[in-house]
């Protein structure tokens, strides 16, 4: 029972061992992450179409919950760019941004996503995430990065923008650049240039002026806070908001409110798919990040428990005026770098954000929206991974096709269609591939018991014996193709007496393939060719033994291809000496 | 050019060789098939909800076309039970049975199905049919048989029946048996008993009275014609139609009319899926039948050309007042049995049916509908394949699950959902299976170069070397699982120095799996374990060479598992003698 408790409440594993040293590490990490998280959470709330304070609320309760249920020491939970974008896309279909209905929809999405994640964790469906291939994820993230950057461009220009997809939005904005609000553009592009320069050269510059590389790194990561402070001060001092610079405005100070997401059956049904995609994408992103960080410390995370942790985090977000959350990339890396030792760092971060929500909100009333837009744009530029596209193209055309389909469908048709197109296409391409498997006629490598493709290697063969290696499990999608391959081979080798199917790569023979083997066996028998099997794997053999196929088969099952070759080749040579001899089939072993 | 012409017009292959002997065989086969086809085509037209003469029209032009384009010598084209049922289901969603709109919808379905099949043939999409696994087809056919039988029960009882699915229809009919029309019931059940008895004992009985088995078989197959003749005569003589026995009624005599299917964009869109399913099911049924019959004569049929042949047959049906057609089971077997030598037999059959349409229709005005219902019921009883269900259950639980899902979904939710549920579930089960592949730690079979599962066989192993055989292609759905397997293995073997991944069953390493191999390699390196590969197949190796993974990998690629074992095992033994010796990694071969 205690073991089970510890599995579902990982906090019980590390809390009893908690000491002063860990406390200091965790406090330091929390301080830095808090500073990073404040502008991020405001910005991502804006990206999701929500009031800025919602970003803060979503960075409090979920972090407490993750401390209790999470298994990663370094993962920092909160609003993240891609999930915020997906939230905005889904909610925008059902309500007008800024309306009370919009907030209702986002709370429902958060609740549903929390329920789905928790449920998937309890019934151990973590493996579902595996069906998102790396090229599809990478393509989706790249496309999302582009969409997010485009969606923020309007804040930098001080314009409104509309359009069916990102290409049309960008086109519309570029056409209207002359109408841009000049002061806003100055603040936005100034921040953009500063943040971008900091990202490229900040660390080296800070090292040059004498900071050690570690401190330089931390300071450089806190640059967005500096940008927020400076632009807020400037705007406040010269009252730029009066001159038309859009600012965040009054944010209510206080504890996160208690919110009860409405139960509206029709709306829940309509939001189902969006909530599911938000859940899966958030989970995949979070768990890959968690695994990468855990591997660096020789630790492991439990994907099913991570589902529960993310699920409860989202549930708490739904009841405390928040929005969907997940593990954030940049802040988790920082959390890891500065040495967070336990998930307690998350709780300390939550306390930091709580303090900010209680006392700091009046200070950011004059924060220009353009500053937040620039923060987001620089953050998502790192999501766009062009080298990955190139590598995938070189390595595998079908992976590249899935990636390209994901990118294009996401950009043109939107997020949900994009990710489903990617998953669908990658599955179809895999199925298509297995439906026309690679196969090889193999022969013996001289002086060995090893057999390889006769077209690639110098091998020994015998025109009375065909050793055929099928490089795929035999199942319904390729069973008819198998019949074609075998009959084609038999027609091409008129002297053939024995066909050996080498099954080293056959991991499954399903009912359709079994029917095909029966058909092949009886056709071969009619043509005077015996059919044998070799290297049939344990689980496959167990199944075949349940049928009468092994009795029906004209030949026998050999342990190895070499065994088959030895017996049949010798027999063929004997027959050559006494061509009149009757060959009796040997007894099955 | 001539070769290409012959491929698309197979008639050019056999017509030049046509002689007197073939003519006689074909004429005889055509005569018998015509006699069988007349009641069948009337019955299946009724099953499709169309006027009976449509069945005759659909058995004329399509047969001419198949003679020109078909590659099977024995396949007999025409209305078939399952396709007629699917047609009725699709058309019933858009029009009232018996209305002119209903006929319009069926003509559109026929045309669309013809276009789809022809197009699929031209772009060689015949392989698509492979995704219908045998258990799914068999489950679908069984369920269709039940639905058809249930749908005809009302004709035997002389009642109307309604219901959402077959179970409710049957329940409604059983509850109303007392209201049945007695005379109709007598004719229907009489015919049913006669036809059923004929099917079970007809041949033996006819042999007993002195007919040779071959003639007995032919006569027994013509029994439905006798039933039609007798019940028609009886009804006509006693004017049973006046007493409430429903009869076929006046059928216009004459040539098939020219019909032009209407182009109504919205309707075409709505019918798309139904037409596609009708096309695929018709093709799969027809091509499996054709392949079976061809194999018996050591001939082959060309699936892509069969698509074109079926497609043009359906196109001609759409323009000559017909309905969707396909290869019929019973009549193709008869065609084969009586020795049809070329597709010309089809043309002769078409002429026979044409004569019937011109001159025989007045004779069947008094044919009771109950007789046709009984004919259909007895015909479809042979579709219900209970032994196949049992065999599948014993052989493979996942194939059985797909079959059961198909049967239940077809019975409860209807034909289209049924077949899609079956295909979807069988694909998902396959994907799930490959996402958690079987794997084995293998060892050397004593005195051989063959390596097998250490848990199943008595093999030689070494606690410094793990030989891991993964029994599946490595792709996105299982790449994370692979990481788990390897890391689990490393943790369980503390003395481990070398891990060899034996890739005999790995037919693909996609981009996601490559990322996982990189991760595994670097984690193993951190744990002081070298990673090697063995038996990497040609196509997989070609791809890996395009990347820098082979340089990055801590170990090397061995040709065979035995090579890896020889080198590493010897080195391990040397190291045991001189425990201080530094082991250098060898150069890649």
């Amino acid at each position: 029972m205690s073991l089970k408790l510890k599995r579902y409440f990982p906090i019980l594993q590390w809390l009893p061992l908690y000491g002063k040293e860990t406390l200091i590490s965790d406090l330091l990490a929390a301080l830095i992450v808090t500073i990073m998280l404040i502008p991020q959470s405001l910005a991502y709330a804006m990206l999701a179409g929500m009031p800025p304070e919602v970003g803060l609320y979503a960075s409090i309760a979920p972090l407490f919950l993750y401390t209790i249920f999470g298994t990663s020491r370094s993962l920092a939970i909160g609003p993240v760019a891609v999930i915020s974008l997906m939230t905005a896309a889904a909610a925008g279909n059902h309500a007008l941004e800024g309306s009370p209905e919009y907030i209702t929809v986002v709370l429902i999405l958060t609740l549903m996503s929390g329920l789905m994640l928790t449920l998937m964790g309890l019934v151990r469906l973590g493996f579902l995430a595996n069906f998102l291939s790396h090229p599809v994820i990478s393509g989706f993230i790249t496309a999302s990065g582009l969409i997010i950057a485009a969606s923020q461009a309007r804040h930098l220009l001080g314009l409104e923008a509309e359009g069916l997809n990102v290409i049309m939005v960008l086109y519309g904005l570029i056409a209207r650049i002359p109408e841009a609000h000049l002061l806003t553009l100055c603040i936005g592009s100034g921040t953009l240039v500063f943040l971008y320069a900091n990202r490229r050269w900040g660390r080296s510059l800070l090292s040059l002026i004498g900071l050690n590389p570690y401190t330089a790194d931390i300071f450089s990561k806190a640059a967005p806070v500096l940008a927020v402070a400076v632009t807020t001060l400037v705007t406040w001092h010269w009252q730029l908001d009066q001159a038309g610079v859009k600012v965040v405005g009054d944010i209510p100070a206080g504890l996160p409110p208690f919110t009860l997401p409405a139960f509206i059956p029709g709306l829940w049904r309509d939001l189902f798919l969006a909530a599911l995609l938000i859940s899966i994408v958030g989970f995949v992103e979070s768990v890959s990040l968690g695994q990468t960080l855990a591997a660096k410390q020789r630790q492991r995370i439990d994907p099913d428990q991570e589902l529960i942790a993310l699920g409860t985090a989202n549930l708490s977000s739904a009841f405390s005026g928040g929005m969907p959350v997940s593990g954030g990339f940049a802040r988790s890396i920082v959390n890891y770098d500065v040495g967070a030792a336990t998930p307690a760092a998350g709780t300390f971060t939550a306390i930091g954000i709580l303090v900010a929500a209680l006392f700091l909100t009046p200070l950011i009333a004059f924060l220009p929206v353009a500053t937040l837009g620039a923060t987001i744009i620089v953050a998502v530029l790192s999501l766009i991974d062009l080298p990955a596209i190139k590598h995938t193209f070189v390595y595998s055309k079908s992976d590249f096709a899935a990636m390209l389909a994901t990118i294009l469908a996401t950009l043109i048709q939107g997020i949900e269609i994009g990710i489903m197109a990617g998953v669908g296409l990658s599955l179809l391409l895999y199925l298509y591939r297995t439906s026309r498997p690679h196969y090889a006629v193999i022969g013996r490598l001289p002086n060995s018991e090893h057999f390889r493709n006769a077209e690639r290697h110098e091998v020994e063969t015998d025109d009375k014996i065909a050793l055929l290696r099928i490089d795929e499990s035999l199942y319904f999608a390729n069973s008819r193709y198998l019949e074609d391959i075998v009959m084609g081979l038999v027609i091409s080798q008129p002297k053939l007496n024995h066909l050996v199917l080498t099954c080293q790569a056959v991991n499954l023979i399903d009912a359709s393939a079994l029917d095909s083997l029966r058909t092949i066996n009886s056709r071969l028998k009619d043509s005077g060719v015996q059919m044998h099997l070799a290297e049939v794997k344990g689980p496959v053999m167990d199944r075949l033994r349940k049928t009468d196929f092994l009795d029906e088969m004209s030949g026998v099952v050999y342990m190895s291809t070499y065994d088959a070759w030895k017996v049949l080749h010798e027999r063929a040579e004997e027959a050559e000496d006494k061509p009149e001899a009757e060959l009796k089939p040997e007894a099955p072993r």
Side-chain angles (χ1 to χ4, degrees), chain A:
Chain A
M1 186 58 209
S2 157
L3 254 180
K4 210 161 180 190
L5 252 185
K6 278 189 184 167
R7 202 187 95 203
Y8 286 116
F9 296 90
I11 189 174
L12 299 177
Q13 290 167 30
W14 55 264
L15 199 59
L17 310 168
Y18 208 77
K20 199 178 142 193
E21 246 175 88
T22 16
L23 176 67
I24 293 174
S25 309
D26 284 348
L27 278 175
L28 180 68
L31 179 70
I32 308 212
V33 172
T34 305
I35 291 173
M36 269 189 83
L37 188 50
I38 293 175
Q40 273 194 7
S41 59
L42 298 171
Y44 293 150
M46 188 173 89
L47 177 58
M50 297 290 276
E53 68 271 19
V54 168
L56 296 175
Y57 301 158
S59 308
I60 301 172
L63 279 70
F64 282 114
L65 269 293
Y66 190 82
T67 302
I68 300 173
F69 292 106
T71 61
S72 164
R73 302 192 175 186
S74 320
L75 208 60
I77 298 291
V80 300
V82 174
I83 298 300
S84 300
L85 172 69
M86 293 178 82
T87 304
N93 284 335
H94 295 94
L96 207 69
E97 200 180 308
S99 68
E101 292 77 32
Y102 190 91
I103 294 177
T104 307
V105 172
V106 171
L107 285 176
I108 294 176
L109 270 174
T110 313
L111 179 65
M112 288 180 78
S113 159
L115 288 174
M116 286 172 178
L117 287 163
T118 312
L119 219 72
M120 281 162 70
L122 290 175
V123 299
R124 312 190 79 66
L125 285 182
F127 73 90
L128 273 185
N130 298 343
F131 287 99
L132 277 176
S133 73
H134 294 200
V136 169
I137 299 175
S138 148
F140 177 70
I141 299 283
T142 293
S144 299
L146 287 171
I147 294 178
I148 294 171
S151 78
Q152 298 307 308
R154 66 192 162 114
H155 294 305
L156 263 65
L157 295 168
L159 292 172
E160 287 307 310
E162 294 252 315
L164 269 177
N165 59 43
V166 62
I167 296 155
M168 290 168 68
V169 168
L170 269 188
Y171 178 79
L173 280 176
I174 290 167
R176 287 170 56 212
I177 281 185
E179 303 166 34
H181 187 262
L182 210 64
L183 265 175
T184 306
L185 185 58
C186 288
I187 294 175
S189 52
T191 311
L192 192 69
V193 169
F194 166 68
L195 290 176
Y196 184 75
N198 169 66
R199 173 176 289 244
R200 291 214 56 171
W201 304 291
R203 263 186 307 180
S204 344
L205 220 67
L206 287 168
S207 301
L208 269 183
I209 62 166
L211 286 179
N212 72 46
Y214 177 78
T215 325
D217 193 37
I218 302 295
F219 268 82
S220 149
K221 290 239 161 75
V225 178
L226 185 64
V228 164
V230 170
T231 55
T232 307
L233 275 174
V234 167
T235 311
W236 168 74
H237 187 260
W238 281 285
Q239 303 222 332
L240 298 185
D241 57 321
Q242 309 274 347
V245 172
K246 246 177 104 183
V247 295
V248 165
D250 284 330
I251 298 179
L255 288 170
F258 172 74
T259 43
L260 193 64
F263 181 67
I264 307 163
L267 192 54
W268 278 55
R269 208 177 316 118
D270 291 346
L271 292 172
F272 184 88
L273 183 65
L276 187 68
L277 290 177
I278 288 175
S279 306
I280 292 181
V281 171
F283 170 63
V284 169
E285 274 299 272
S286 189
V287 86
S288 344
L289 191 57
Q291 274 171 330
T292 308
L293 296 175
K296 283 179 195 263
Q297 297 167 299
R298 303 282 194 93
Q299 288 155 356
R300 301 190 74 172
I301 65 170
D302 170 359
D304 287 312
Q305 180 61 29
E306 281 298 297
L307 276 169
I308 297 177
L310 262 190
T312 49
N314 274 293
L315 287 177
S316 73
S317 186
F319 289 107
S320 61
M323 53 185 271
V325 295
S326 177
F329 190 75
R331 78 191 81 122
S332 297
I333 303 273
V334 170
N335 203 26
Y336 169 82
D337 276 349
V338 292
T342 72
T347 287
F348 301 141
T349 306
I351 295 172
I353 301 284
L354 188 63
V355 171
L358 285 173
F359 307 111
L360 303 185
T361 52
L363 302 184
I364 51 179
F366 287 92
L367 169 58
V369 169
T371 305
L372 290 181
T375 312
I376 294 178
I377 291 178
V378 175
V380 298
L381 282 183
S382 65
L383 298 181
I384 297 165
D385 190 356
L386 298 179
I389 300 179
K390 202 191 120 204
H391 287 151
T392 308
F393 177 76
V394 171
Y395 183 64
S396 156
K397 297 297 169 285
S398 64
D399 275 318
F400 177 72
M403 185 183 232
L404 196 67
T406 312
I407 294 178
L408 293 180
T410 307
L411 290 181
I412 297 167
Q413 295 286 326
I415 328 240
E416 293 179 12
I417 306 256
I419 201 155
M420 289 192 298
V423 172
L425 187 65
S426 50
L427 289 179
L428 282 182
L429 285 171
Y430 174 72
L431 289 172
Y432 177 71
R433 213 194 145 281
T434 60
S435 80
R436 308 184 76 83
H438 177 258
Y439 61 94
V441 174
I442 56 176
R444 184 189 178 190
L445 283 181
N447 304 318
S448 84
E449 300 181 8
H450 195 58
F451 289 76
R452 293 302 276 253
N453 190 343
E455 282 175 18
R456 283 176 180 260
H457 302 267
E458 284 277 330
V459 292
E460 219 177 309
T461 55
D462 180 333
D463 59 2
K464 292 207 175 59
I465 306 167
L467 305 170
L468 180 65
R469 190 188 77 200
I470 305 286
D471 291 348
E472 197 61 65
S473 292
L474 303 179
Y475 78 115
F476 57 89
N478 59 29
S479 59
R480 213 164 277 151
Y481 185 64
L482 175 71
E483 296 174 24
D484 289 348
I485 294 171
V486 173
M487 296 320 287
L489 186 64
V490 171
I491 288 169
S492 72
Q493 289 200 25
K495 286 196 186 168
L496 202 67
N497 287 329
H498 298 278
L499 178 95
V500 182
L501 274 184
T502 296
C503 298
Q504 52 179 222
V506 173
N507 310 307
L508 165 76
I509 295 180
D510 80 351
S512 308
L514 180 65
D515 288 346
S516 287
L517 287 181
R518 287 185 203 274
T519 307
I520 291 171
N521 177 55
S522 80
R523 288 190 198 161
L524 288 181
K525 210 191 269 174
D526 291 348
S527 325
V529 179
Q530 276 193 9
M531 170 171 156
H532 310 270
L533 301 178
E535 307 200 19
V536 181
K537 293 182 185 178
V540 176
M541 199 64 194
D542 289 349
R543 279 223 189 151
L544 288 181
R545 286 215 184 87
K546 286 191 207 162
T547 71
D548 54 3
F549 173 68
L550 295 177
D551 305 329
E552 197 180 287
M553 192 171 70
S554 57
V556 296
V557 179
Y558 292 99
M559 192 67 164
S560 68
T561 309
Y562 178 66
D563 288 350
W565 170 259
K566 218 168 42 182
V567 173
L568 299 173
H569 187 53
E570 266 172 31
R571 221 187 310 159
E573 282 179 347
E574 274 170 31
E576 207 121 291
D577 298 340
K578 322 173 249 172
E580 302 300 313
E582 281 260 326
L583 294 176
K584 277 179 205 150
E586 69 275 57
R589 324 172 7 146

